[in-house]
Amino acid sequence: MKSLRGPQSTIYGPRALAGVIQIFTKQGNGTPGVTLTEEGGTYDTFRETLASDGKIDVFDYSIGVSRLDTDNARPNNQYRNTAEIADLGLSLTDNLRVGALITYSLSDTGNPNTIFNPKPFEQFFD
């Protein structure tokens, strides 16, 4: 990760006035491999991750998927998150790599102590 402050950030346009943060994602390197992890805890908390990266001839890849579920301590305070990322590339020459970065994230949260009822007529249907 690299941070640019001051006049260097102006090359990124007017919305970068306070600075720019560049994030370099992991590129696949070496023999392809796979990592799988599973964690669990209190309040029905579970986290699963699956990742793989490697390089095959001129093609390199790094992919990852994660899922987090927790019900938390209070009612209606659950949290769910699914995230996916893929960095795919072709090294056409020693100095030229063509790549694509694909990301996806979906989060769902509960609203404890809310006064809004998302299903106001549900009590009428049993």
Side-chain angles (χ1 to χ4, degrees):
M1 188 163 31
K2 183 178 177 183
S3 176
L4 299 175
R5 297 181 193 269
Q8 299 146 336
S9 66
T10 58
I11 62 174
Y12 293 96
R15 294 189 180 152
L17 205 53
V20 173
I21 297 176
Q22 288 180 297
I23 299 174
F24 298 94
T25 58
K26 181 179 179 181
Q27 293 180 3
N29 192 7
T31 305
V34 176
T35 304
L36 174 66
T37 61
E38 177 104 19
E39 302 174 48
T42 57
Y43 306 115
D44 287 332
T45 301
F46 297 98
R47 180 191 321 248
E48 302 88 18
T49 62
L50 176 64
S52 179
D53 66 285
K55 186 167 185 171
I56 303 168
D57 199 26
V58 297
F59 174 71
D60 64 85
Y61 73 96
S62 177
I63 57 174
V65 178
S66 68
R67 172 78 182 178
L68 171 66
D69 297 283
T70 184
D71 286 339
N72 289 314
R74 296 187 305 178
N76 196 25
N77 195 26
Q78 76 276 3
Y79 178 72
R80 312 281 182 260
N81 179 267
T82 302
E84 301 170 5
I85 188 166
D87 186 339
L88 311 171
L90 287 172
S91 298
L92 302 176
T93 68
D94 289 340
N95 298 322
L96 177 62
R97 178 182 183 265
V98 177
L101 179 65
I102 303 161
T103 61
Y104 171 81
S105 180
L106 176 65
S107 295
D108 176 40
T109 60
N111 296 309
N113 302 325
T114 182
I115 61 171
F116 174 71
N117 184 357
K119 299 178 182 175
F121 302 109
E122 189 173 80
Q123 72 270 12
F124 297 124
F125 305 106
D126 275 331

